[in-house]
Amino acid sequence: MNKNYIILSLVAAGLLGVIAGSPAVFAAEKQSEESQSAIKDAWLDGKLESALLFNEHLNSFDIDTDVENSIAYLRGAVESDIDRDLAGEIAKSIKDVTKVENELIVDKTKAAMAKDDEAAKERQGFKQSVSNATLTARIKSQLLMNGNTGGMA
């Protein structure tokens, strides 16, 4: 066989392999970007849920959150316009949230029901317990890091 023919055949086969494999490479890259975006959105949603949970002025159980493409969506019902605005501001404060779609509605009957609702009192007790535990952990950490106090005592 002619040496040039062999080289030309190998080059052509290599080019065909690259051309044939290109869609698969692009599809894999696109899928990887989509999965990274989904992971980031889930992380942001978790941060948002936590921020709402630890806010003592909101009932986070009445607020549904979702994050898609770094846009936070708030849905559900709250007791007042102030609660609606507060939830929106909390969502805006989350790093990497680019936009907030605040679709919360104000339900005045929730305010009346919440005062008498035993479950609401229980949730408030849970929030207070979490808040107390967080504060205790912060104080103990500061005492442990301070060389002038016996943090373990």
Side-chain angles (χ1 to χ4, degrees), residues 78-79 106-114:
V78 292
E79 297 173 14
V106 176
D107 185 357
K108 300 291 184 186
T109 59
K110 275 195 160 311
M113 288 175 25

Side-chain angles (χ1 to χ4, degrees), residues 45 48-66 72-91 100-106 110 123 127:
D45 191 35
L48 178 55
E49 287 277 351
S50 297
L52 292 172
L53 175 68
F54 291 120
N55 186 286
E56 62 189 72
H57 303 289
L58 295 173
N59 182 353
S60 62
F61 298 105
D62 291 336
I63 301 172
D64 296 321
T65 64
D66 192 24
Y73 295 89
L74 302 175
R75 296 178 184 98
V78 292
E79 297 173 14
S80 69
D81 290 323
I82 293 171
D83 289 349
R84 182 182 189 281
D85 294 343
L86 176 60
E89 290 301 318
I90 289 171
V100 175
E101 293 291 333
N102 192 341
E103 301 170 6
L104 292 170
I105 59 169
V106 176
K110 275 195 160 311
R123 285 191 299 269
K127 284 183 185 180

